[in-house]
């Protein structure tokens, strides 16, 4: 799988003004497989970090390495990096513009220079992974429901066959079924296409369900990075930075206080039930 | 207790257009909302929740059925514009997108907007605006430009605008959907306070199960119909039914429900994690 | 970032001039502009320079910020002055070179023109843009144009449109940035190619921006209706503009200045334009 690495990366907004804000402060980390969740609340620097991954923002200091190569080695070639690191921004349905769903999905691949039969194949395969049925392809994107539009926008990025897929709040504003559809689809895509995925979200429950690893950002720095169980077991650290932990993690913590210890790495309901039954079944 | 809103057999369809077929958004909707209660409306996208909200604040009019708000028959043909305005003065709405409901550039000017429309004397507007801003904890920001606030803060300003108009009933149409966890918590606390301390009738349309669990009553909508209407305990007491229509239950309930598969009989509608731990540890500590 | 735009050049402060009634400030600014045009004699200009300097000091706005506002206009001012200098014919010839004749009167005239332009910029900055928020200005204009309502001029509606425009400019600027970023992430290229291909590359930005603006307008209209908005009739205001003693004193000072300028023009006509 493709890897992306940050080495001592910093970025400051309004550098020359007294109102300057350091959004990312000396962050180093490496992501090279599976689905990684990035959590932290508004203003923690996660959105800035995400925009640095595909070169929308150039770091003031430090390097960003894609598969070991500095993405800013040749600034003229930064456009190629954007195809390799696909970024789905927040509420991506508001970027749709083409007459048909098909044309909209094809915008990215066309910019890459893909044409003809290859283009059709790319669009169809992307639509498949995003859960878009064939008859929708000829429709105008503006006739679709909110959830469908979101999937079209996702397909538009998947169609560029990125080596790394970055999604900023992909499930925001969707209902539970919509969340499951889109996050489940991303998981399948990651597995089948062997793509490294980074998801930014506020929802601990979703993160716990779909991610392998979790990065926690607070005040422009990474304060925790590890597997789901490693990170969620530090629930005191999470709550102290104002982040929520899944309700089930809070139940497990309260159980432990009452003398029922089912471990610190509880973050899904099914796992908690299994652990409890396994350990304490009459 | 008096009935604030009474709906009987409401139907609403969006007419056919060039590109979209006719959509039956609401089918035979009937319900009653009592004064001072907290009602949550749950349902997935496209279930008709937002259409219902628009009908309740008279942006849309149902095609058949009767709707009585504050004792006035809204669908009656001889309702006057003044009567509609009277009802609007009593029923306020807070929308999903905080950006698209704020009219003025400065916080206090926006909070005053509704009162200005009602023709309230300036001195009284000032008093109402100051009180409303204190109520939502935004008084220090009264002279700030709206554009520099966070989503949660903007939503609190929108709520202050509704409070300043002294509405008896407030509808929140997915008002927390676009907020981060902190913003959501702030807004929910204000909603709870308005309901409990000021006896304002609250209707909260939401996707979040734990928000709905705070309500006195939940209406569950699916494909334009009300498929269940009961207390949160009863509604979440049947998780399978919720899952079948693409909704969820709070994790606390899911946990207890799944434990019960192993032969336990926990009451599954406990929504506080600490309380859940309490009852579970009682059962299990006897085992060791 | 966006909200700096709506406030234009407004600089927060609590000086006497900041606190003047916006309606009065508009009237004072108009009068002062007229007075600046009335001035012809060097003596009158000196009076106005002194007066303007006093006003600037009263606003407590750092001179540095005021000069910053002049910067973009400086080239135009200088070019105008130089052209004027070459064209002007007077009595005292100073330089004669090829076809260029520069007279002393020409130089003085150019200096007076520069002074006049600078005074005009300073006057509007001090009384309007630097010390009054756009919102207050809009309200004041609505009030001053109020009598036109009798002629069925939709004064309130124009003012409402202004207010909403001011409110949504920063929102739409942010939105534009987001859309540009999103399309850039899909490989859109806005900077290369010929004129036509560049114009074409704007489509993926403009269409979503328009759609979003319409959606926002629609939602805002609904929200305004829910908040009992029915137009300008019967509306009251949170902040009712009130004139205070200071407003009338300022008006009086300006009128006295005007009279003084006319007198100086007539009785001490040094190098009159």
């Amino acid at each position: 799988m493709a890897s992306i690495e940050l080495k001592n990366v910093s970025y400051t907004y309004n550098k020359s003004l007294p109102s300057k804000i350091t959004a990312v402060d000396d962050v180093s980390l490496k992501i090279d497989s599976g689905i990684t969740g990035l959590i932290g609340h508004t203003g923690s620097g996660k959105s800035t970090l995400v925009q640095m991954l595909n070169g929308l923002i150039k770091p003031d200091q430090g390097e960003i390495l894609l598969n070991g190569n500095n993405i800013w080695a040749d600034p003229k070639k930064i456009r190629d990096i954007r195809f390799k690191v696909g970024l789905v921004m927040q509420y991506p349905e508001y970027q749709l513009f083409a007459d048909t769903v098909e044309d909209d999905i094809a915008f990215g691949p066309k910019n890459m220079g893909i044409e003809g039969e290859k283009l059709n194949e790319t669009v169809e395969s992307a639509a498949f992974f995003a859960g878009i049925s064939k008859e929708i392809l000829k429709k105008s994107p503006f006739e679709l429901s909110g959830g469908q539009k979101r999937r079209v926008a996702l397909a538009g990025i998947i169609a560029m066959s990125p080596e790394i897929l970055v999604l900023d709040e992909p499930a925001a504003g969707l209902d539970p079924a919509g969340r499951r559809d889109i996050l489940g689809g991303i998981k399948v895509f990651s597995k089948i296409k062997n793509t490294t995925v980074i998801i930014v979200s506020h929802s601990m429950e979703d993160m716990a369900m779909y991610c392998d690893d979790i990065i926690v950002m607070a005040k422009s720095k990474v304060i925790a990075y590890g597997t789901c169980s490693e990170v969620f077991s530090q629930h005191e650290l999470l709550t102290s930075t104002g982040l929520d932990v899944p309700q089930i993690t809070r139940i497990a913590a309260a159980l432990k206080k009452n003398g029922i210890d089912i471990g610190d790495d509880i973050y899904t309901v099914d796992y908690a039930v299994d652990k409890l039954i396994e350990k304490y079944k009459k | 207790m008096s009935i604030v809103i009474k709906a009987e057999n409401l139907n609403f369809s969006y007419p056919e257009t060039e590109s979209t077929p006719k959509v039956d958004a609401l089918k035979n909707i009937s319900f009653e909302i009592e004064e001072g209660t907290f009602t949550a409306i749950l349902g997935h996208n496209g279930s008709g929740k937002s259409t219902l909200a628009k009908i309740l604040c008279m942006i849309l009019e149902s095609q058949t059925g009767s709707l009585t708000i504050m004792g006035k028959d809204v669908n009656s043909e001889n309702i006057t514009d003044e009567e509609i305005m009277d009802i609007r003065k009593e029923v306020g709405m807070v929308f999903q997108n905080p950006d698209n409901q704020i009219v003025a550039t400065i916080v206090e000017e926006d909070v005053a907007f509704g009162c200005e429309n009602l023709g309230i004397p300036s001195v009284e507007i000032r008093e109402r605006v100051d009180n409303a801003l204190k109520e939502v904890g935004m008084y220090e920001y009264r002279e700030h430009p709206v554009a520099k606030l966070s989503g949660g803060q903007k939503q609190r300003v929108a709520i202050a605008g509704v409070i300043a108009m002294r509405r008896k009933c407030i509808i929140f149409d997915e008002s927390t959907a676009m907020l981060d966890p902190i913003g959501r918590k702030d807004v929910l606390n204000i909603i709870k306070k308005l309901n409990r301390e000021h006896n304002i009738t609250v209707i909260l349309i939401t996707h979040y199960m734990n928000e709905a669990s705070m309500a006195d009553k939940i209406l569950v909508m699916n494909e334009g119909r009300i498929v269940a209407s009961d207390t949160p305990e009863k509604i979440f007491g049947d998780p399978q039914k919720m899952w079948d229509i693409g909704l969820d239950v709070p994790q606390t309930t899911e946990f207890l429900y799944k434990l019960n598969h192993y032969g336990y009989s926990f009451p599954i509608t406990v929504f506080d994690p600490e309380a859940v731990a309490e009852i579970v540890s009682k059962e299990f500590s006897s085992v060791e | 970032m966006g909200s700096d735009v709506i406030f234009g050049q407004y600089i927060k402060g609590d000086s006497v001039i900041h606190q003047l009634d916006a309606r009065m400030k508009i009237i004072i600014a108009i009068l002062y502009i007229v007075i600046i045009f009335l001035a012809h004699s060097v003596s009158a200009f000196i009076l106005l320079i002194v007066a303007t300097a006093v006003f600037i000091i009263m606003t407590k706005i750092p001179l540095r910020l005021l000069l910053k506002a002049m910067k973009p206009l400086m080239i135009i001012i200088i070019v105008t002055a130089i052209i004027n200098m070459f064209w002007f014919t007077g009595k005292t010839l100073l330089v004669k070179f090829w076809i260029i004749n520069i007279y002393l009167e020409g130089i003085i005239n150019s200096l007076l023109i520069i002074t006049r332009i600078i005074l005009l910029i300073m006057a509007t900055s001090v009384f309007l843009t630097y010390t009054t928020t756009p919102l207050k200005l809009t309200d004041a204009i609505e009030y001053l144009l109020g009598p036109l309502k009798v002629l069925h001029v939709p004064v309130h509606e124009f003012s409402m449109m202004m207010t909403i425009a001011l409110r949504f400019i920063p929102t739409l600027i942010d939105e534009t940035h987001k859309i540009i970023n999103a399309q850039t992430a899909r490989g859109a290229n806005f900077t290369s190619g010929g004129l036509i291909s560049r114009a074409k590359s704007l489509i993926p930005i403009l269409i979503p921006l328009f759609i979003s603006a319409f959606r926002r307008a629609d939602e805002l209209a609904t929200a305004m209706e829910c908040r009992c908005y029915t137009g300008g009739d019967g509306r009251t205001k949170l902040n009712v503009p009130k004139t205070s003693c200071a407003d009338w004193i300022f008006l009086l000072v300006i009128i006295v200045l005007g009279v003084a300028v006319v007198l100086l023009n007539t009785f001490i006509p040094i190098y009159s334009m």
Side-chain angles (χ1 to χ4, degrees):
Chain A
M1 274 190 182
S3 76
I4 191 143
E5 186 176 2
L6 280 74
K7 276 188 178 167
N8 307 96
V9 167
S10 298
Y11 186 78
T12 304
Y13 285 99
N14 296 344
K15 287 175 232 10
S16 56
L17 298 176
S19 61
K20 69 176 178 183
I21 304 157
T22 301
V24 174
D25 187 5
D26 195 20
V27 166
S28 298
L29 54 85
K30 186 174 183 183
I31 300 166
D32 56 10
S33 63
I35 302 184
T36 304
L38 178 57
I39 55 181
H41 44 82
T42 321
S44 62
K46 59 185 164 52
S47 292
T48 308
L49 186 89
V50 156
Q51 290 184 46
M52 286 199 282
L53 296 181
N54 78 337
L56 280 177
I57 294 178
K58 190 179 176 187
D60 297 330
Q61 271 152 37
E63 287 183 341
I64 296 169
L65 308 177
L66 176 65
N67 297 327
N69 304 314
N70 185 350
I71 64 168
W72 286 99
D74 182 359
K76 277 177 202 148
K77 289 193 175 154
I78 197 68
R79 195 155 160 252
D80 297 339
I81 301 299
R82 299 200 177 120
F83 298 127
K84 287 180 186 155
V85 183
L87 172 62
V88 183
M89 312 251 297
Q90 248 179 67
Y91 297 99
E93 56 273 30
Y94 297 147
Q95 307 144 18
L96 303 179
F97 69 95
D99 290 339
T100 65
V101 168
E102 208 170 33
D103 287 350
D104 212 291
I105 300 175
F107 181 66
K110 266 190 192 163
N111 284 332
M112 296 169 74
I114 298 173
E115 285 171 341
E117 195 49 38
K118 180 92 199 305
L119 184 66
N120 286 338
E121 271 170 36
T122 313
V123 170
E124 273 172 31
S125 136
F128 168 76
F129 280 112
I132 299 164
S133 56
K134 272 196 171 174
E135 60 272 17
I136 292 183
L137 286 178
K138 298 279 178 207
K139 281 194 177 180
S140 157
F142 305 110
E143 292 168 15
L144 308 181
S145 74
Q148 284 173 321
K149 280 186 200 165
R150 179 80 54 95
R151 290 204 286 264
V152 171
L154 173 64
I157 302 293
I158 288 180
M160 305 192 310
S161 312
E163 292 171 30
I164 291 181
L165 179 64
V166 186
L167 305 109
D168 194 353
E169 290 283 355
L174 298 180
D175 57 28
R179 301 178 87 88
R180 270 196 292 271
D181 282 354
I182 208 145
L183 293 169
I186 291 164
K187 189 154 194 164
V188 170
F189 172 76
S190 166
K191 283 253 160 63
I192 295 182
K193 289 281 189 172
N194 212 20
T195 304
T196 306
V197 174
I198 300 165
I199 301 179
V200 178
S201 175
H202 286 307
S203 166
M204 295 292 172
E205 275 90 355
D206 286 347
M207 293 272 118
M209 196 88 104
Y210 295 98
C211 296
D212 304 308
D213 294 327
I214 302 270
I215 299 169
V216 185
M217 277 192 82
K219 293 180 184 155
S220 321
K221 288 188 182 280
V222 170
I223 58 162
Y225 182 17
T227 60
C228 274
S229 47
E230 282 164 6
V231 170
F232 283 121
S233 63
Q234 309 177 46
H235 40 81
E236 268 147 20
L237 174 73
L238 295 178
T239 37
S240 75
T241 56
L243 289 166
D244 260 339
V245 292
Q247 277 192 325
I248 194 68
T249 309
R250 283 172 60 193
I251 295 176
L255 278 174
K256 194 177 173 188
K257 264 190 204 143
N258 292 345
I260 309 279
D261 188 359
I262 54 171
D264 286 328
D265 60 341
I266 302 298
Y267 50 89
T268 63
V269 173
D270 290 338
Y271 186 62
V273 171
D274 288 350
K275 274 280 198 162
L276 191 63
I277 295 299
E278 178 191 312
K279 214 166 172 187
Y280 291 95
K281 178 77 181 161
K282 287 174 197 172
Chain B
M1 250 192 268
S2 63
I3 304 291
V4 181
I5 297 175
K6 186 182 165 85
E8 279 177 297
N9 297 319
L10 294 184
N11 284 287
F12 184 86
S13 335
Y14 289 100
E16 189 181 334
T17 65
E18 271 178 47
S19 50
T20 51
K22 182 179 162 208
V23 181
D24 293 324
L26 297 182
K27 299 166 194 161
N28 278 321
I29 298 280
S30 300
F31 62 91
E32 278 179 5
I33 287 173
E34 285 174 10
E35 191 183 334
T37 56
F38 183 159
T39 307
I41 302 182
L42 274 179
H44 52 74
N45 291 343
S47 61
K49 293 172 303 181
S50 287
T51 306
L52 181 60
K54 282 190 181 139
I55 287 176
L56 293 182
C57 67
M58 286 173 298
I59 298 298
L60 294 175
E61 196 182 340
S62 65
Q63 280 115 355
T64 60
S66 88
L67 177 63
T68 315
I69 302 176
M70 304 278 168
K72 291 199 180 76
D73 183 358
V74 177
N75 282 10
S76 145
E77 276 173 22
N78 32 21
I79 189 164
T80 61
D81 285 351
E82 273 149 39
E83 280 176 305
I84 289 182
M85 199 42 93
D86 282 344
I87 299 170
R88 282 223 176 105
K89 281 178 200 165
E90 306 289 349
V91 182
M93 180 122 150
V94 179
F95 296 85
Q96 178 178 18
N97 191 330
D99 262 325
N100 298 354
Q101 56 189 316
I102 293 184
V103 184
T105 38
I106 302 291
V107 168
E108 64 173 19
E109 296 268 354
D110 186 74
V111 175
F113 180 75
C115 296
E116 294 177 337
N117 292 334
L118 297 180
I120 293 164
S122 303
V123 183
E124 199 190 330
I125 298 183
R126 166 58 60 193
E127 191 191 318
R128 285 186 180 204
V129 166
D130 287 352
N131 286 336
L133 281 170
K134 281 174 193 161
E135 199 73 50
V136 300
M138 290 293 292
Y139 186 67
E140 300 79 60
Y141 292 88
R142 63 191 180 281
E143 287 179 355
H144 280 230
V146 173
K148 288 206 169 162
L149 303 179
S150 71
Q153 290 175 323
K154 283 181 194 160
Q155 212 60 313
R156 276 147 72 189
V157 171
I159 294 174
V162 179
I163 297 175
M165 291 175 83
R166 307 253 161 95
R167 257 92 175 241
K168 293 202 181 84
C169 174
I170 306 179
I171 303 166
F172 295 88
D173 186 6
E174 297 191 32
S175 311
T176 58
M178 293 176 78
L179 307 182
D180 63 12
I182 293 177
R184 195 154 70 226
K185 215 176 275 171
D186 289 343
V187 167
L188 277 176
N189 286 337
I190 291 166
I191 295 177
K192 265 193 272 185
K193 189 163 101 179
L194 290 178
N195 177 247
R196 306 236 164 103
E197 291 171 21
H198 300 272
N199 202 37
I200 290 173
T201 311
V202 167
I203 300 173
L204 175 69
I205 297 174
T206 183
H207 283 153
Y208 293 96
M209 303 305 143
N210 44 359
E211 290 179 7
S213 69
M214 303 182 328
D216 300 317
K217 192 169 124 184
I218 298 179
L219 301 179
V220 182
M221 293 192 67
N222 191 32
E223 288 171 2
R225 291 177 204 281
I226 292 183
V227 291
S229 159
D230 222 319
T231 58
E233 285 74 20
K234 292 264 170 57
I235 295 284
F236 293 130
D238 189 357
Q240 200 53 53
K241 185 176 172 187
M242 295 296 279
W243 288 326
D244 286 346
I245 58 174
L247 293 175
D248 246 326
V249 295
Q251 277 196 331
T252 48
T253 295
E254 187 187 346
F255 178 57
L256 295 168
Y257 179 75
K258 286 185 173 162
L259 276 181
N260 284 353
H261 287 338
Y262 293 90
Y264 298 97
S265 47
F266 290 116
I268 66 169
T269 51
V270 180
F271 305 126
D272 176 46
E274 276 71 30
V276 170
E278 201 60 42
I279 58 168
V280 172
S281 45
K282 260 189 202 136
E283 178 74 31
F284 283 89
S285 55
S286 54
V287 182
E288 259 186 329
Chain C
M1 151 182 43
S3 36
D4 296 334
V5 179
I6 45 164
F7 281 94
Q9 295 162 316
Y10 175 69
I11 295 164
K12 225 176 156 186
D14 56 355
S15 73
V16 191
I17 294 184
H18 277 86
Q19 284 165 5
L20 288 181
D21 184 349
R23 296 169 301 174
M24 194 62 94
K25 278 197 262 192
I26 292 179
I27 295 170
I28 289 175
I30 293 171
L31 284 178
Y32 202 52
I33 288 168
V34 171
I35 293 169
I36 292 168
F37 275 107
L38 281 179
H40 285 291
S41 154
V42 172
S43 54
F45 273 104
I46 290 171
L47 175 69
L48 287 180
I49 291 169
V50 172
T52 309
V54 171
F55 293 142
I56 291 172
I57 293 165
M58 284 176 85
T59 61
K60 295 180 192 160
I61 292 170
L63 197 63
R64 179 174 53 87
L65 288 174
L66 279 168
L67 292 178
K68 218 172 112 187
M70 308 272 288
K71 234 182 178 174
L73 290 169
M74 224 48 221
I75 297 170
I76 302 176
I77 297 172
I78 292 168
V79 170
T80 323
I82 290 173
I83 291 173
N84 221 287
M85 190 164 71
F86 293 147
W87 253 253
F88 204 92
T89 46
K91 288 178 197 144
T92 334
L93 188 62
L94 289 181
V95 180
K96 192 172 163 64
F97 171 73
W98 190 39
I99 53 161
I100 299 166
N101 298 310
I102 297 176
Y103 295 88
L104 175 65
E105 288 83 356
I107 292 174
I108 291 172
N109 187 60
S110 296
L111 286 176
L112 290 185
I113 285 176
I114 293 177
T115 316
R116 179 176 278 167
I117 297 174
I118 292 173
L119 284 176
L120 284 173
I121 297 171
M122 288 294 167
T124 43
S125 303
V126 163
F127 288 111
L128 301 176
T129 50
Y130 274 70
T131 61
T132 322
T133 61
L135 197 70
K136 282 206 178 123
L137 276 182
T138 317
D139 277 354
I141 293 168
E142 179 183 359
Y143 190 93
L144 291 174
L145 296 181
L148 292 179
K149 280 179 194 160
V150 183
L151 303 172
H152 297 287
V153 177
V155 177
H156 167 76
E157 282 70 15
F158 279 128
S159 151
M160 195 54 162
M161 277 156 58
M162 271 298 286
T163 307
I164 291 175
L166 288 172
R167 158 73 188 78
F168 277 91
I169 285 169
T171 309
L172 289 177
I173 288 176
D174 284 351
E175 178 115 32
T176 312
H177 282 294
K178 274 186 206 152
I179 295 172
I180 290 177
N181 273 347
Q183 308 299 26
T184 310
R186 294 165 76 184
N189 198 342
F190 309 113
T191 47
S192 68
L195 204 60
I196 292 172
S197 79
R198 275 197 207 190
K200 251 179 140 179
S201 73
L202 290 179
I203 291 174
I205 297 174
L206 292 179
I207 289 181
L209 192 61
F210 271 105
I211 287 174
S212 146
F214 282 123
R215 182 177 44 82
R216 286 180 190 281
D218 189 46
E219 284 180 21
L220 184 72
T222 307
M224 284 170 73
E225 207 178 324
C226 275
R227 297 173 77 181
C228 301
Y229 179 73
T230 51
D233 293 343
R235 277 195 99 221
T236 45
K237 285 268 178 193
L238 167 67
N239 295 315
V240 185
K242 264 189 285 204
T243 48
S244 63
C245 232
D247 291 311
W248 296 105
I249 293 172
F250 253 92
L251 185 64
L252 208 67
V253 169
I254 296 293
I255 293 171
V256 170
L257 265 178
V259 174
V261 162
V262 174
L263 292 178
L264 287 172
N265 278 341
T266 339
F267 295 107
I268 317 177
I270 313 166
Y271 293 112
S272 270
M273 281 167 91

